[in-house]
């Protein structure tokens, strides 16, 4: 039962007692009564202190109304009723103070509960945000709070947002490889160039280029949406050793074989080339070097090249170009110019 119900019940009870006291007063004063009635009245008085107090109020009001409040025989009753009134006033004051204190306590309790609820909400819905990045030539491996790992390749910037409900990576630029801890309640999502890659527990790489994004899966499966708002229906589901590219405008290419060798190599700090145009090999090498190599001509850039280089190892690149391909690097300060040696017109590939 609520406080309001208790108050209502108490008020109803005292009114019933007052009504009964009034009936007894009329019955005893306006009619002759028998001994049985007097005994019944005495028993009613003895049932509760409220009965006697309410009846004495009737006596007091009647006496005062008749101008008899100063008569000696009523003074004792008047004093008795006054004492009752004083006790009631004191009880009401205590009740008022208790209500005020309870109101303050309830307010404080409500504040504490609000703080607890807010804290619980914050804990449950709090999003942990971290920004990770690498400089040119730098690589970095990060273990996330959910035990997933992210390996950032050179010149990469991404934002990690983890909560109890979601795992979200927002890539600004670069390339990263994700090894996702299995958690069906929280899909792992990577946002890149407006598209979305969704996984649960898998290993895949995301490479951002000027002309689009390439997603390559090494293990497990992912869903690729060219636009984050796209429906999952009809979009590519990539499994191991599959890749797909999409453009910033939302178009998506055909599913093809993933370049697993290249991804594995850069994660080990290496560059692997297998009969690729020299211009493409130089562009890949430049991603890891603050000092860029420029190809002097299309004919030089079109030469096929094969080999393995340590990332950022300029001396190995110089050996490959000069000793194996008969090309030379000319120092131009901030850059190195790659051109054919005057005495050599040979083409070919180098394996190292």
């Amino acid at each position: 039962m609520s406080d309001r119900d208790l108050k209502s019940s108490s008020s109803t009870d005292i009114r019933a007692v007052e009504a009964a006291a009034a009936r007894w007063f009329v019955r005893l004063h306006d009619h002759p009564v028998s001994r049985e009635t007097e005994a019944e009245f005495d028993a009613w008085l003895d049932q509760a202190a409220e009965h006697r107090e309410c009846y004495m109020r009737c006596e007091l009001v009647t006496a005062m109304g008749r101008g008899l409040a100063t008569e000696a025989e009523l003074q004792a009753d008047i004093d008795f009723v006054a004492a009752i009134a004083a006790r009631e006033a004191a009880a009401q004051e205590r009740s008022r103070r208790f209500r005020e204190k309870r109101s303050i306590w309830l307010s404080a309790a409500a504040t504490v509960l609000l703080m607890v609820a807010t804290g619980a909400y914050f804990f449950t819905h709090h999003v942990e945000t971290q920004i990770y990045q690498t400089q040119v030539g730098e690589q970095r491996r990060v273990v996330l709070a959910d035990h997933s790992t992210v390996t950032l390749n050179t010149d990469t910037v991404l934002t990690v947002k983890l909560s109890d409900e979601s795992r979200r990576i927002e890539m600004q630029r670069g390339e990263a490889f994700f090894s996702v801890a299995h958690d069906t309640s929280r899909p792992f999502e990577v946002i890149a160039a407006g598209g979305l890659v969704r996984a649960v527990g898998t290993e895949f790489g995301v490479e951002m280029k000027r002309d689009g994004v390439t997603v390559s899966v090494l293990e497990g499966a992912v869903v690729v949406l060219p636009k984050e708002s796209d429906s999952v229906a009809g979009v590519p589901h990539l499994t191991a050793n599959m890749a797909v590219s999409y453009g910033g405008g939302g178009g998506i290419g055909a599913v093809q074989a993933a370049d697993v060798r290249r991804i594995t190599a850069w994660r080990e700090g290496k560059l692997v080339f297998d009969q690729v145009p020299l211009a493409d090999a130089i562009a890949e090498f430049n991603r890891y070097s603050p000092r860029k190599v420029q190809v002097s001509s299309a004919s030089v850039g079109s030469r096929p090249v094969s080999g393995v280089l340590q990332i950022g190892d300029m001396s190995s690149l110089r050996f490959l170009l000069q000793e194996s391909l008969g090309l030379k690097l000319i120092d131009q300060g901030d850059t190195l110019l790659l051109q054919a040696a005057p005495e050599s017109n040979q083409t070919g590939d180098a394996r190292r």
Side-chain angles (χ1 to χ4, degrees):
M1 183 180 292
S2 66
D3 290 346
R4 181 177 296 178
D5 293 337
L6 290 172
K7 290 179 180 178
S8 177
S9 176
S10 177
S11 176
T12 301
D13 292 343
I14 197 64
R15 288 196 185 99
V17 173
E18 290 172 345
R23 288 195 295 271
W24 274 114
F25 183 85
V26 172
R27 186 177 179 184
L28 294 175
H29 285 77
D30 292 347
H31 302 279
V33 294
S34 63
R35 290 183 179 179
E36 290 79 10
T37 299
E38 289 179 349
E40 185 180 352
F41 171 66
D42 291 337
W44 180 81
L45 288 177
D46 293 335
Q47 285 177 2
E50 290 83 358
H51 293 187
R52 187 177 299 276
E53 292 170 4
C54 288
Y55 186 81
M56 292 303 298
R57 288 197 194 96
C58 293
E59 291 279 9
L60 177 61
V61 171
T62 301
M64 294 180 69
R66 293 175 179 174
L68 300 176
T70 59
E71 291 189 7
E73 61 270 24
L74 292 176
Q75 189 61 48
D77 291 337
I78 292 173
D79 292 342
F80 177 72
V81 174
I84 292 173
R87 287 199 303 272
E88 288 184 346
Q92 290 176 358
E93 178 65 16
R94 288 193 300 271
S95 177
R96 182 187 66 80
R97 292 177 179 177
F98 172 75
R99 287 195 301 272
E100 290 179 351
K101 290 181 178 180
R102 185 178 64 176
S103 177
I104 295 173
W105 182 85
L106 288 175
S107 177
T111 301
V112 172
L113 287 174
L114 178 62
M115 292 172 65
V116 171
T118 302
Y121 179 89
F122 178 80
F123 178 79
T124 303
H125 295 81
H126 171 60
V127 178
E128 179 184 344
T129 302
Q130 295 286 343
I131 298 176
Y132 299 102
Q133 68 179 78
T134 53
Q135 303 301 318
V136 173
E138 179 187 7
Q139 293 179 325
R140 181 179 181 186
R141 183 176 182 272
V142 178
V143 180
L144 305 182
D146 70 332
H147 304 297
S148 298
T149 61
V150 181
T151 304
L152 287 74
N153 203 356
T154 177
D155 193 24
T156 297
V157 179
L158 55 80
T159 302
V160 177
K161 297 181 179 180
L162 298 181
S163 71
D164 288 343
E165 300 172 348
S166 65
R167 298 178 290 175
R168 190 180 181 92
I169 311 294
E170 297 177 1
M171 289 187 63
Q172 284 72 50
R173 68 171 183 267
E175 181 177 15
F177 185 83
F178 304 93
S179 182
V180 181
H182 189 80
D183 186 348
T184 56
S185 67
R186 293 189 299 168
F188 192 97
E189 298 180 335
V190 178
I191 311 300
L196 180 145
V197 183
R198 179 176 296 152
V200 174
T202 186
E203 292 188 346
F204 65 97
V206 177
E207 181 183 11
M208 297 183 68
K209 299 179 179 179
R210 291 183 179 179
D211 57 349
V213 177
T214 298
V215 180
S216 305
V217 178
L218 272 64
E219 182 180 305
V222 303
V223 175
V224 180
L225 285 69
K227 290 185 178 179
E228 186 179 351
S229 58
D230 286 347
S231 169
V232 175
V235 300
H237 287 59
L238 304 183
T239 57
N241 302 325
M242 297 171 62
V244 73
S245 298
Y246 64 85
I252 191 165
V255 175
Q256 52 190 306
D259 193 350
V260 176
R261 187 183 182 193
R262 187 195 72 83
I263 296 172
T264 302
W266 76 252
R267 292 172 61 203
E268 297 174 350
K270 300 177 182 179
L271 299 177
V272 178
F273 307 116
D274 186 8
Q275 290 294 301
V276 301
L278 181 57
D280 293 346
I282 293 299
E284 182 70 8
F285 183 87
N286 284 341
R287 292 180 58 199
Y288 301 87
S289 176
R291 195 178 187 195
K292 309 302 182 185
V293 176
Q294 294 182 347
V295 180
S296 62
S297 65
S299 61
V300 172
S302 63
R303 293 185 180 186
V305 61
S306 297
V308 178
L309 295 175
Q310 290 293 322
I311 286 177
D313 187 351
M314 186 63 72
S315 61
S316 294
L317 176 65
R318 189 183 297 273
F319 179 86
L320 173 66
L321 296 173
Q322 294 182 345
E323 302 300 327
S324 300
L325 296 178
L327 303 174
K328 66 176 181 178
L329 288 172
I330 300 175
D331 193 337
Q332 294 186 327
D334 294 337
T335 62
L336 293 167
L337 180 64
L338 176 62
Q339 64 182 27
E343 67 280 4
S344 176
N345 293 318
Q346 63 179 343
T347 62
D349 61 32
R351 299 182 184 277
R352 187 166 184 262

